[in-house]
Amino acid sequence: MMGAHARIGIDLGGTKISGIALGPDSKVLAQARVDAPKGNYSETIDSVCGLVMSLEERASVEASVGIGIPGSVSPATGNIQNANSTWLNTQPFKQDLETSLKRQVRLANDANCFALSEAMDGAGQGAASVFGVILGTGCGGGLVVNGRIIDGPRGIGGEWGHNPLPWPEANETPGPQCWCGKKGCMETWVSGPAMAADHKRVFSETLSAHDIARNAGEGCAKVNKTLESHASRLARGLACVINIFDPERVVLGGGLSNMSHLYEQLPGLIAPYIFSDNTAIDILSPVHGAESGVRGAAWLWDIAESENSEWK
Ligand SMILES: [Zn+2]
């Protein structure tokens, strides 16, 4: 499914705002990146609008605009919720952008944009159902079926990061404190900072997630044990989602998706927990990597309706 018009996708990150302009044939016409104004709502609006204008000027097109945000639009109020860029929360961001840009815009959670990008023309292309997983500073996810993001009346479809670790072992309960107020959420076990915290808790040794990942397979017993625990927990968490959503493919994204051992080990670790005689599961690395956010945001105008429209 290729769009017949030019599309701009914006990825609103905590430190950078990235943008891409895609032509009708999905060719990249222009790309740009600006610093994200920290803690300032009206400057954030101005930066996004400035980026859209500059991309349109450079690509010589008038485009539809889709925006990936680190939170979601509350279907109840139309305002932003759950954003770790906290100055966006409770703001009518969509409405304010539409006023400034003088056109309709579509917003979606950044993990949903990732899942959509990979489902449309990435590692999930051709599959009817895709679970896109973000493993970075946090743990998010998005569900796509037949090219459409699945979301619901709460705007949290695919958000598995604040469910508890399933099938816990004795030393895994109640689990680490999560910022959301609960203990033992998936995010407190499988994100990058969570893996580093686990290493420190078990071995009293301070290594960043990047250091741990870089030393995978290098023969350090402590690092290997931390990676083994991490893969086991990730496998159990994914099995729980697979037993509910039964996706054709799972695509990993975010910083930890660079750890190649995950693609070799996860299918075997997940299999014992899958409630079916078919326990095979494809766990794939992303095709578009860091560009998935902007690409997925651009794709928001290629799906028939915005994800929440039937609920409004
Ligand atoms: Zn939590």
Side-chain angles (χ1 to χ4, degrees):
M1 180 168 43
M2 292 290 159
H5 63 281
R7 290 150 290 158
I8 284 175
I10 303 286
D11 186 12
L12 187 60
T15 54
K16 296 275 177 194
I17 304 174
S18 312
I20 199 168
L22 299 178
D25 53 1
S26 294
K27 212 177 105 199
V28 178
L29 303 176
Q31 275 178 290
R33 217 169 187 216
V34 295
D35 288 332
K38 282 240 175 232
N40 190 315
Y41 179 67
S42 64
E43 278 181 22
T44 303
I45 298 269
D46 292 346
S47 293
V48 170
C49 293
L51 194 54
V52 169
M53 297 307 181
S54 120
L55 286 167
E56 283 193 325
E57 203 178 299
R58 284 168 48 202
S60 306
V61 291
E62 200 167 311
S64 63
V65 177
I67 301 172
I69 53 167
S72 62
V73 177
S74 160
T77 64
N79 297 341
I80 303 293
Q81 63 176 2
N82 298 343
N84 52 12
S85 300
T86 49
W87 58 94
L88 297 176
N89 285 325
T90 74
Q91 297 283 1
F93 191 46
K94 180 175 191 285
Q95 197 184 322
D96 288 342
L97 285 171
E98 288 181 338
T99 304
S100 295
L101 286 167
K102 300 181 180 64
R103 76 193 85 176
Q104 285 194 302
V105 299
R106 288 184 177 179
L107 266 61
N109 170 261
D110 47 14
N112 285 356
C113 289
F114 164 76
L116 184 61
S117 168
E118 290 297 329
M120 295 299 264
D121 66 348
Q125 187 173 20
S129 54
V130 173
F131 179 41
V133 177
I134 301 275
L135 298 169
T137 52
C139 165
L143 306 171
V144 175
V145 173
N146 297 326
R148 287 200 54 177
I149 295 167
I150 296 191
D151 222 335
R154 297 160 200 86
I156 55 168
E159 286 302 330
W160 69 310
H162 298 275
N163 282 343
L165 175 70
W167 301 285
E169 289 167 16
N171 63 355
E172 292 173 331
T173 54
Q177 181 67 47
C178 185
W179 63 266
C180 77
K182 305 280 196 296
K183 282 185 175 164
C185 294
M186 283 307 301
E187 184 162 298
T188 70
W189 292 113
V190 302
S191 70
M195 186 171 75
D198 187 58
H199 191 79
K200 178 139 207 251
R201 207 161 39 234
V202 176
F203 297 114
S204 305
E205 183 176 77
T206 304
L207 286 180
S208 68
H210 184 75
D211 291 334
I212 294 168
R214 205 181 43 200
N215 288 307
E218 293 295 315
C220 170
K222 292 176 186 173
V223 163
N224 289 346
K225 175 65 191 153
T226 296
L227 290 169
E228 190 187 306
S229 302
H230 177 264
S232 160
R233 290 159 183 159
L234 182 55
R236 281 176 274 158
L238 289 174
C240 199
V241 178
I242 292 163
N243 282 342
I244 295 168
F245 178 53
D246 198 9
E248 253 182 75
R249 293 182 204 161
V250 174
V251 185
L252 306 185
L256 296 195
S257 69
N258 293 324
M259 302 199 300
S260 59
H261 69 274
L262 292 178
Y263 305 98
E264 294 148 28
Q265 294 176 9
L266 283 173
L269 292 170
I270 291 170
Y273 298 99
I274 295 187
F275 187 61
S276 172
D277 58 1
N278 173 13
T279 58
I281 179 73
D282 284 333
I283 309 285
L284 302 169
S285 61
V287 167
H288 297 298
E291 269 194 9
S292 274
V294 285
R295 295 182 72 93
W299 282 117
L300 290 174
W301 281 92
D302 287 81
I303 49 185
E305 297 165 276
S306 86
E307 76 233 56
N308 291 318
S309 58
E310 63 256 55
W311 304 102
K312 280 183 179 155

